[in-house]
Every structure is written in C-alpha cells, then in structure tokens.
C-alpha cells in the first residue's frame, strides 16, 4: 500500500524541476516582450528622424526660395510669423549699438573732464562706433603681448587683449595735431616731407600708395632697404641710377641696345621700381616717419631713432611703445583699422596744405572701408596633375 501512494504522489525532486521549468518559460516570454518593445521604439525613432531630416530640408529650400517672413511648415500663419533667428539678430544688434553708444559717451565724458589732455582743444576725428566696427580695439593673444603696452590695455577677453579706445582716441588726436603743424611749414613741404611706411598686405600697400600721392608724401610699400635713412648717400646714388633707367625707356634709347641688354635693363628697372618708386624724388631725410607696424619694420624704427626723426606708429599689444614718439594703440592686423587710421593721418597732412579731407571729422556713413572677402581654400589629397589624369581616364 505505501509503495502505490509514493508512485501516485511522486518525489519532491520532480516537483522542483517542474517549477524551475515554468520559471524559465516565464522569463523567456518576458524577454521576448521587452525585445519586441525595444524594436518597436527603434522603428519609431527612425521614423521621427526621417521626419526631422525632411523638415530641415524643407526649411533650407524655403530659405532659398521664399522670404524670411514666410513659414513653410505652417502656411496659415505666414502673415504674422517672424523667424526666431531674425528676432535674435535684431535684438543682439540693438544691444550691441546701445553698448557701443554707452562706451562712446563714457569716453567723451572722460575727455571733457580733462580738456587739456591732448595739449590742444579736442577734436572728434572719428567715432568710437567706427573704430569698433573696424576692430581697432581687438589686440593680439596674451602670449604675444609686450608688458610695456599694459597701460594701453583695457581687459582680457578669452585669449586676446582688448585695447582701451580712450587711449586710441587721445593719442590719435595728438598725432593728428603734430602732423598738421609739421605740414604747415613750407620747408617741410619742399625739402623734407613725411615718409609713410607699410609693407604688409596688398590692400594696405595700395592704400598707402594712393594716400601718399594724395597728400604729396613719400612712401615705401614694399621691402625696406637697410640704410635708407642712415646710409642715405648710397640710396641717393641708387635713386639716380633708377631715374636714368626710366629716362632710357621714355626717350626710346633702349632700342639701341641688343635684345639681351634690353631684357637686363628691364629687369633692373622692375626691381628698383618695387623698392624706390615711392622715394624717387626724395632729396633729403624726412621730418617724420609714419609706420603701420613698428614690429615688422623694426629696421626703419631703429634708423629713425638713431637720427632723431620723430616716429608715429600704429602699435598693437606686441609693440614696444618706448621706441615710438607718437603711439596710436590699435589693431594693426585688421585691414579696415589700418585703412582708416592711415587715411586720418594723411588727412592731417592734407589739412596743413589746405586740401580736402577724406576720413577725418566725417560721418560714419560717409567713410567707405574696403570689403574683405575670404576665399575658401580646398585641400586636396593628391597633386593636381594626378587628379587631371584621373578625370581624363573617367
């Protein structure tokens, strides 16, 4: 009897195994459900991503084809809809103008409190708004700075130093008055004029040439020849030789020489024209030297200091202001700021000669600055000739 009961009821080990099997089946079903949910969510994410990409594509096309006020997603609200980016740009520009106006007012107030700060009555040659537009207040990185320029630095923003425009306005006014007084005397106009030097950047070179011709000054916009001032006697000889070569071309006597000699003479004239065309008629040492960058033209600065010639220079945060007589702290790496400041300094010479001005004491709308277009440079992995061969084979 007990044996039969044991057969019916079964052992406890078999019941435990059955429970374990049921638990594993339940776990498998739960994992299947979780996997199915994850797969479904991934499919929904893919759909939403596709919808977002389609929306961005539509927005790009709408920016090219439609006006900014048109909303391609909700065409019903086109009349009252304004893009958020446009609102932000307007808000930022308004805030920027307000800040610049506050800076200008504070600078003018400080100058009014000290009216004798420039030695003469203060003249507003250019607005602070225009100076900030050209980037004249942006200095170089802090690792390139000269500690002697500390008194001209306002703060440090990021990695760059910010130049104090109060000092630029004051120092520009002092240099302007000096050039006006210097150009008024007849001796400086005839025998020893002002020399303008700027040898960096194509637009700056052309601008210096134009402005120097306008105010009847001498200029050097290419390489500074060593000894231009200290060894002026040899420079006079090279100028005389250059003038004789020009006469050969103008008179037609160059045709008497052989072809080989003509080519040689043309090369010599082209070489001399780069370095001596701006000082071709200079007969004596200049009374003043104007430098766009005292660091790139250090030789010219040292020569002028040796001979006691006063130097007016646009000094960035890397310059040594102790070597310069009339410091104008400003950004001389910006084409627009150099363009504006050189024009104002040339206006001072023109004012001394009773000639019209182009930049000084003009309204901001009347001052035209060059438009700078940055070209995108494409870097290729293979040389140009190899690419041509591949294109021809295709």
């Amino acid at each position: 009897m007990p044996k039969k009961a044991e057969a019916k009821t079964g052992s406890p080990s078999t019941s435990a195994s059955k429970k374990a099997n049921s638990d594993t089946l339940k776990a498998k079903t739960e994992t299947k459900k979780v996997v199915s949910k994850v797969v479904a969510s991934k499919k929904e994410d893919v759909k939403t991503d596709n919808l977002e990409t389609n929306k961005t594509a539509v927005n790009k096309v709408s920016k090219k084809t439609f006006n900014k006020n048109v909303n391609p997603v909700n065409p019903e609200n086109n009349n009252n809809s304004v893009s958020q980016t446009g609102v932000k740009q307007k808000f930022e520009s308004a805030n920027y103008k307000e800040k610049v106006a506050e800076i200008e007012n504070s600078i003018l107030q400080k100058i009014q409190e000290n009216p004798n700060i420039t030695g003469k009555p203060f003249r507003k040659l250019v607005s602070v708004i225009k100076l900030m537009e050209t980037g004249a207040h942006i200095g170089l990185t802090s690792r390139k700075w000269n500690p002697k320029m500390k008194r001209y630095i306002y703060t440090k923003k990021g990695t760059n130093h910010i130049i104090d425009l109060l000092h630029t306005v004051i120092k520009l006014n002092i240099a302007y008055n000096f050039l006006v007084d210097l150009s008024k005397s007849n001796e400086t106009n005839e025998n020893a004029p002002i020399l303008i030097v700027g040898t960096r950047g194509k637009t700056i070179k052309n601008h210096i040439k134009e402005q120097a011709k306008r105010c009847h000054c001498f200029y050097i916009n290419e390489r500074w020849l060593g000894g231009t001032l200290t060894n002026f006697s040899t420079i006079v000889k090279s100028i005389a030789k250059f003038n004789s070569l020009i006469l050969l071309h103008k008179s037609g006597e160059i045709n008497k020489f052989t072809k080989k000699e003509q080519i040689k003479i043309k090369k010599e004239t082209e070489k001399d024209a780069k370095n001596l065309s701006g000082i071709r008629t200079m007969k004596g040492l200049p009374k003043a030297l104007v430098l766009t960058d005292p660091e790139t033209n250090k030789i010219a600065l040292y020569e002028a200091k040796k001979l006691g010639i006063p130097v007016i220079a646009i000094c960035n945060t890397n310059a040594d202001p102790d070597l310069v007589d009339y410091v104008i702290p400003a950004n001389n790496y910006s084409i627009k700021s150099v363009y504006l400041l050189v024009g104002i300094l040339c206006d001072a010479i023109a004012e001394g000669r009773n000639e019209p001005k182009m930049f000084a004491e003009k309204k901001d709308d009347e001052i035209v600055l060059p438009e700078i277009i940055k070209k995108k440079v494409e870097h290729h992995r293979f040389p140009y000739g190899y690419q041509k061969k591949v294109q021809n084979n295709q």
Side-chain angles (χ1 to χ4, degrees), residues 27-49:
K28 285 180 181 179
T29 52
E30 285 176 358
T31 52
K32 284 180 181 179
K33 287 178 182 179
V34 170
V35 169
S36 62
K37 285 180 181 179
V38 169
V39 171
S41 65
K42 283 184 179 179
K43 286 180 180 179
E44 288 177 358
D45 291 335
V46 169
K47 286 179 182 178
T48 53
D49 291 334

Side-chain angles (χ1 to χ4, degrees), residues 273-332:
K274 284 183 179 179
N275 300 320
L276 302 171
S277 59
I279 55 172
R280 191 166 65 89
T281 57
M282 192 165 75
K283 296 177 182 179
L285 292 171
K287 285 285 182 180
L289 190 70
V290 178
L291 297 175
T292 57
D293 191 355
E295 288 298 310
T296 54
N297 298 308
K298 273 186 177 179
I299 299 166
L301 180 62
Y302 292 144
E303 288 183 14
K305 290 299 292 179
K306 191 175 182 179
L307 296 170
I309 298 167
V311 178
I312 301 156
I314 303 165
C315 297
N316 211 325
T317 53
N318 63 339
D320 186 359
D322 294 341
L323 299 172
V324 181
D325 298 301
Y326 295 92
V327 178
I328 302 169
N331 184 6
N332 55 14

Side-chain angles (χ1 to χ4, degrees), residues 5 23 28 30 53 152 255 298 314 328-329 344 360 363 380:
D23 291 335
K28 285 180 181 179
E30 285 176 358
T53 51
Y152 301 117
N255 296 323
K298 273 186 177 179
I314 303 165
I328 302 169
I344 291 166
K363 294 180 180 179
H380 302 288

Side-chain angles (χ1 to χ4, degrees), residues 96 99 132 137-142 153-163:
Y96 177 74
K99 287 178 182 178
M132 291 188 78
H137 62 291
I138 300 166
L140 295 174
T141 55
S142 58
I153 293 168
Y154 182 69
T155 50
K156 183 183 173 184
K157 190 174 181 182
T159 57
N160 289 48
H161 280 121
I162 304 299
I163 297 164

Side-chain angles (χ1 to χ4, degrees), residues 91-131:
F91 182 70
E92 286 173 0
S93 64
N95 286 337
Y96 177 74
K97 286 179 181 178
E98 287 176 1
K99 287 178 182 178
V100 172
E102 286 177 3
I103 292 164
E104 188 172 16
N105 291 328
S106 66
I107 287 167
L108 292 173
Q109 282 177 3
K110 287 176 183 178
I111 291 165
Q112 286 173 2
E113 289 172 2
N114 299 315
N116 297 323
I117 199 165
T118 59
K120 288 186 177 182
F122 178 76
R123 296 170 64 181
K124 190 180 176 182
L125 300 171
V126 66
S127 65
V128 177
I129 295 165
K130 201 69 183 177
L131 286 171

